[in-house]
Amino acid sequence: MDSGSALRVEKTTLKPVIKKTYVLDTNVLLHDPTAVTAFKQHHVVIPMTVLEELDHIKDRRDKTVSRDARRASQLLAPVVDSATPQALQEGVEVPGTELEGLTPGTLAIYPDQLLADNSEVPYLDDTQAQANDNRIINVALRLQVENPEEFVCLVTKDINMRIKAKGSGLVHVEDYRRDRVLDDIDLLAKGYEHI
């Protein structure tokens, strides 16, 4: 390369950060009671149904699961204690979610018991057999329709719930993977080989 030639540097422009909203299922908080902080600068929504399920689970005989339910509730309490009901529905700041140059993450509690069938928004039947899963999916569907410019995602460890949500029209549905080191677990060695 000629020492006199000019070094060409291309200017790149960064895409604007799209606001991301994550609706958490109960099993995410049971799996990782600190999950609310895992989404850093994004908006986390916990439907009221999730809080009701945590309340029922904390009294189960299975001590491990009931302990995780109590721990999840205990970690939510300091975040929401001083918030007004209106602020809590809009979203309150989650301590420990600050990233350099970005605003901290927020947590909102969604009063899903107030949702009703609306012809403009897909609505899953909330009959007793599937009421809780459907109510949580309905929150994500409602947020997706009300905020079309935002990324709205349901996060659940329940495979059938992910399938149901996708089939209902929810564009983004994910498994909670904070505890995984690899994205593709199938690539891990089994630890044995048949000879």
Side-chain angles (χ1 to χ4, degrees):
M1 183 169 149
D2 184 350
S3 62
S5 65
L7 185 61
R8 184 177 169 189
V9 178
E10 291 185 28
K11 186 177 180 180
T12 59
T13 56
L14 296 175
K15 293 180 182 177
V17 176
I18 297 172
K19 182 178 178 184
K20 293 183 179 181
T21 299
Y22 293 95
V23 178
L24 302 188
D25 186 18
T26 310
N27 54 38
V28 171
L29 293 172
L30 291 174
H31 179 76
D32 178 7
T34 65
V36 172
T37 61
F39 297 91
K40 295 298 178 193
Q41 77 276 11
H42 301 296
H43 185 60
V44 174
V45 175
I46 298 179
M48 193 69 68
T49 298
V50 169
L51 297 176
E52 291 169 357
E53 286 185 330
L54 286 175
D55 196 41
H56 290 294
I57 292 169
K58 71 179 182 173
D59 296 326
R60 281 191 184 169
R61 291 180 188 243
D62 181 348
K63 296 300 178 196
T64 304
V65 175
S66 61
R67 182 191 68 231
D68 289 340
R70 283 192 301 277
R71 177 124 168 85
S73 295
Q74 290 166 352
L75 291 170
L76 291 173
V79 177
V80 302
D81 272 348
S82 61
T84 65
Q86 182 180 1
L88 192 53
Q89 289 178 9
E90 291 173 9
V92 295
E93 195 173 294
V94 178
T97 58
E98 300 85 8
L99 290 176
E100 191 174 319
L102 297 171
T103 58
T106 56
L107 168 70
I109 304 299
Y110 195 99
D112 59 286
Q113 71 277 11
L114 302 178
L115 288 179
D117 195 356
N118 176 340
S119 60
E120 297 173 13
V121 179
Y123 185 81
L124 296 178
D125 183 27
D126 57 359
T127 56
Q128 195 57 38
Q130 295 295 320
N132 290 346
D133 284 356
N134 288 358
R135 285 171 62 185
I136 294 166
I137 293 169
N138 284 338
V139 169
L141 289 168
R142 177 66 57 102
L143 290 171
Q144 177 179 267
V145 168
E146 290 175 352
N147 308 291
E149 71 288 348
E150 294 178 14
F151 175 92
V152 176
C153 181
L154 173 66
V155 182
T156 179
K157 303 286 298 164
D158 184 340
I159 295 169
N160 287 332
M161 188 173 181
R162 289 196 302 265
I163 294 168
K164 222 160 63 164
K166 278 279 194 184
S168 301
L170 194 59
V171 177
H172 303 286
V173 183
E174 294 178 5
D175 186 6
Y176 182 71
R177 299 184 196 145
R178 182 179 188 186
D179 56 344
R180 292 188 189 168
V181 177
L182 294 175
D183 285 336
D184 195 351
I185 292 177
D186 296 334
L187 297 176
L188 287 174
K190 291 181 176 81
Y192 62 90
E193 185 174 336
H194 289 283
I195 299 176

